[in-house]
Amino acid sequence: MIASARQQWLANPRRDLLAGTVVALALIPEAIAFSIIAGVDPAVGLYASFVIAVTIAFVGGRPAMISAATGAMALLMVTLVRDHGLEYLFAASILCGVFQIIIGLLKLGRYIRFVSRSVMTGFVNSLAILIFLAQMPELIGANWQTFALVGAALAIIYGFPRLTKAVPSPLVAIVLISGFVMMTGLDVRTVGDMGQMPSSLPIFHLPAVPLTWETLVIIAPVSATLAFVGLLESLLTANLIDDLTDTPSDKDRETRGQGIANILSPLFGGMAGCAMIGQSIINVTSGARGRLSTLWAGLFLLFLILVLQDWVARIPMAALVAVMIMVSIGTFDWSSVLKLRSTPFQSSIVMIATTATVVATHDLSKGVVLGVILSAVFFMRKVGKTVVVEEIETPEDGVLRYRVSGQLFFASADVFAAAFEHHGSPRRVEIDMTDAHLWDLTGVAAVDKVVFRYRKQGAEVEVIGMNAAGQTLVERVGRHDKSHLPVGLSH
């Protein structure tokens, strides 16, 4: 355990600290922007990013993943803040954390593995597009100097690694572009133009809301939605970082950790948050692999806004826009587009539908839920055709024998029932289910349907070869084995 902790914290402290520095610089304008989206003071988003990042470094299940205030969560807070005020947002954020801890204790986080690769690809591509589109307000209508600075920053980001990879190139780009702007006095937008940063440490604060049923009715729906969207984005981001680093993560621990962070954040003046795919990509592509990077990102963020805020306010937005454009380009799965023709049609539909829905609605949950539903529908259609009923030739007159193979459940029940020939008047019918598996009530009902049809013709029906699970299900809910009509049920 000690060796594992050392690996997660101190395997490569230099890279973790440098990567966390880049993340902290990029967090400031985003946290301010998300606060504005939610309709709260910039301090709320900045305090949230500090508290959540520091907390998740210790209790999260995915080392090197960055969690903070996010746009996906901020969009869900607008109505609550507008109608009831900031204190109700604090209360809703705490309840969101409680919901997430309960989900983590029930160990439901692990079920994220049922999200298909096509949905994951759509999720990643849509967020890459949204990250790019989020930079457009800084570019549309900007002067030529801004475009020149963005181009220069991108050249540094992609060119500097050819010289050395000892220092993350995004950090070099931010420092050089900022230094150039400060020396020349170029008229471009800076971080200070985004909003006023706080000047004091966050203090402990309990939400000033009445502890009544009415309060619960107001905040519970928002809290439940925040919990769902936050976990969805966090666990999908964890999957992505798992793939990028070729290391595993503990999804149930991450679920509980997100809950703990979202309880602590509003207690110190912040709002609920979740994992940030853009900042997480910056972190790991800058070389981070350990928890120290996440801890340092949070601590250095606080240091920047309290001690160096005058300098931070002078950082040109063009430098940070270039970093986020780099993130969007690196995040997008370009091979998914190049392989559209060779990818199964249904997988392509799921990926495109997920991407298009998220981009159109700016709502991660809608796109992913649609993708999961489409994946399930396509899967059921596919496996629904896998049940096969074969008639076995027999020399005996008036005797029919069938062999069933495949999965018998609600999606394949109709195919199973339609496969039997009910014409004629057999005196005996044998149905061999050795190679089949009975899954649910609909499957049992399909077997009942076939058996009773033959019995109405006066035939003796025997079902053989059913496995133990199928036998248990039939004994519990089946009817054909309990009838007094002639039948022999063998297992």
Side-chain angles (χ1 to χ4, degrees), residues 31-46 69 74 77-78 80-82 85-87 89-90 269-271:
I32 294 174
F34 298 150
S35 299
I36 294 171
I37 290 172
V40 297
D41 188 271
V44 176
L46 290 166
M77 302 171 181
V78 176
L80 180 65
V81 173
R82 183 191 64 210
L86 180 60
E87 295 298 326
L89 173 60
F90 291 153
M271 58 190 190

Side-chain angles (χ1 to χ4, degrees), residues 328-343:
S328 68
I329 293 173
T331 302
F332 195 89
D333 187 350
W334 299 99
S335 64
S336 66
V337 178
L338 299 175
K339 295 178 180 178
L340 274 177
R341 289 188 176 182
S342 58
T343 303

Side-chain angles (χ1 to χ4, degrees), residues 1-9:
M1 184 176 293
I2 295 177
S4 175
R6 186 180 294 112
Q7 176 68 26
Q8 290 188 4
W9 282 97

Side-chain angles (χ1 to χ4, degrees), residues 177-337:
I177 297 299
S178 299
F180 178 78
V181 170
M182 292 176 190
M183 287 188 297
T184 59
L186 288 179
D187 182 23
V188 294
R189 271 176 59 81
T190 63
V191 171
D193 296 325
M194 295 289 293
Q196 183 64 40
M197 286 181 281
S199 56
S200 62
L201 287 168
I203 58 175
F204 184 81
H205 169 75
L206 289 173
V209 297
L211 299 178
T212 62
W213 175 257
E214 288 73 16
T215 299
L216 182 63
V217 170
I218 291 171
I219 67 173
V222 178
S223 299
T225 307
L226 288 170
F228 173 73
V229 172
L231 289 182
L232 194 59
E233 185 161 357
S234 298
L235 296 178
L236 289 176
T237 301
N239 271 352
L240 177 62
I241 304 303
D242 289 352
D243 291 343
L244 289 174
T245 60
D246 196 25
T247 55
S249 61
D250 186 335
K251 302 301 188 299
D252 292 319
R253 179 177 176 180
E254 182 63 35
T255 300
R256 297 191 298 271
Q258 291 290 329
I260 294 170
N262 282 329
I263 289 176
L264 291 178
S265 174
L267 292 177
F268 290 92
M271 58 190 190
C274 64
M276 304 182 74
I277 185 170
Q279 307 299 341
S280 299
I281 294 292
I282 291 175
N283 203 36
V284 298
T285 54
S286 297
R289 292 295 182 271
R291 296 179 180 274
L292 182 61
S293 62
T294 307
L295 175 63
W296 177 244
L299 292 175
F300 192 58
L301 169 66
L302 188 66
F303 178 76
L304 288 172
I305 61 180
L306 296 183
V307 181
L308 301 180
Q309 67 169 254
D310 291 339
W311 289 94
V312 171
R314 300 168 67 185
I315 295 176
M317 287 300 299
L320 299 176
V321 166
V323 172
M324 298 313 295
I325 289 176
M326 177 271 292
V327 170
S328 68
I329 293 173
T331 302
F332 195 89
D333 187 350
W334 299 99
S335 64
S336 66
V337 178

Side-chain angles (χ1 to χ4, degrees), residues 3-18:
S4 175
R6 186 180 294 112
Q7 176 68 26
Q8 290 188 4
W9 282 97
L10 299 173
N12 198 331
R14 185 181 67 84
R15 281 188 174 276
D16 282 349
L17 291 173
L18 287 172

Side-chain angles (χ1 to χ4, degrees), residues 435-459:
D435 299 322
H437 188 92
L438 193 59
W439 286 100
D440 61 8
L441 302 184
T442 310
V444 175
V447 174
D448 285 344
K449 181 178 180 180
V450 170
V451 170
F452 285 132
R453 279 183 178 176
Y454 280 121
R455 284 178 175 172
K456 286 181 180 179
Q457 301 174 24

